[in-house]
Amino acid sequence: MSSSSSENNSKKMIILKSSDGETFEVEETVALQSQTIRHMVEDECADSVIPLPNVKGTILSMVVEYCKKHVEAAAAAAGGDNDVKNWDRDFVKVDQETLFDLLLAANYLNIKDLLELTCQATADMIKDKSPEEVRRIFHINNDFTPQEEQEIRRENQWAFE
């Protein structure tokens, strides 16, 4: 136990600050999962605290958890990919607003695997849904007149089969 605590003391830490002022002290290897943060660190743009104005604290907490899990899984490597895949599947079982916030954070922070995971979860959410159901899920108002919509359906009948 004592060797791991001394190991933790020697690891470089980075402080991330969310849009709502929450700070997170994160191991550099975890923070560098984000290409955005990696570039800031490499270009020496990061002072003692890296501000992330587009990410709320609750979402940043989840992003840090995701990155930690993936760094640990990569270090364990032989631990099996299925464990991480199962963990990922459970990770995105969240309400729609949280999922969209995670997707936006993954995009802003440029975390490719998290972006792909959240995009896939969003795609799965609308799979086999009618255009009306998709509009309802994404809160999109239908700005087509009934005549315009009928014309589009007729021109693109293959898409509605």
Side-chain angles (χ1 to χ4, degrees):
M1 254 334 211
S2 62
S3 66
S4 66
S5 63
S6 64
E7 218 176 87
N8 287 341
N9 292 338
S10 65
K11 292 182 180 177
K12 185 170 181 193
M13 303 300 279
I14 292 179
I15 299 173
L16 307 176
K17 186 174 184 179
S18 67
S19 62
D20 49 3
E22 254 187 277
T23 57
F24 298 83
E25 189 172 15
V26 181
E27 288 181 20
E28 185 178 49
T29 55
V30 172
L32 295 183
Q33 295 298 298
S34 161
Q35 292 302 307
T36 302
I37 294 171
R38 178 181 296 277
H39 293 306
M40 292 174 95
V41 170
E42 288 172 354
D43 296 342
E44 297 178 3
C45 296
D47 292 335
S48 57
V49 177
I50 297 177
L52 300 172
N54 294 356
V55 186
K56 295 183 290 190
T58 54
I59 299 303
L60 185 54
S61 171
M62 293 179 74
V63 170
V64 167
E65 177 187 5
Y66 174 88
C67 291
K68 276 184 188 174
K69 181 67 175 180
H70 281 256
V71 166
E72 290 166 3
D81 216 18
N82 282 341
D83 291 344
V84 175
K85 285 182 181 177
N86 291 336
W87 188 91
D88 282 354
R89 188 176 52 248
D90 292 339
F91 182 76
V92 291
K93 287 182 181 174
V94 293
D95 63 88
Q96 182 178 320
E97 183 180 352
T98 302
L99 179 63
F100 292 167
D101 285 345
L102 277 170
L103 190 152
L104 292 172
N107 186 50
Y108 171 69
L109 294 170
N110 196 358
I111 304 171
K112 183 178 179 271
D113 290 342
L114 180 57
L115 182 60
E116 288 176 0
L117 178 66
T118 54
C119 284
Q120 185 61 57
T122 303
D124 291 345
M125 181 191 313
I126 63 172
K127 186 177 181 178
D128 299 326
K129 300 280 194 268
S130 70
E132 293 77 20
E133 290 171 306
V134 173
R135 283 190 198 107
R136 196 170 46 255
I137 289 169
F138 291 116
H139 308 289
I140 299 170
N141 292 324
N142 184 0
D143 57 353
F144 291 116
T145 66
Q147 294 81 8
E148 289 172 325
E149 190 167 347
Q150 187 176 12
E151 178 68 19
I152 290 168
R153 285 180 183 271
R154 191 173 46 68
E155 289 174 1
N156 301 290
Q157 189 172 1
W158 60 269
F160 296 98
E161 294 175 348

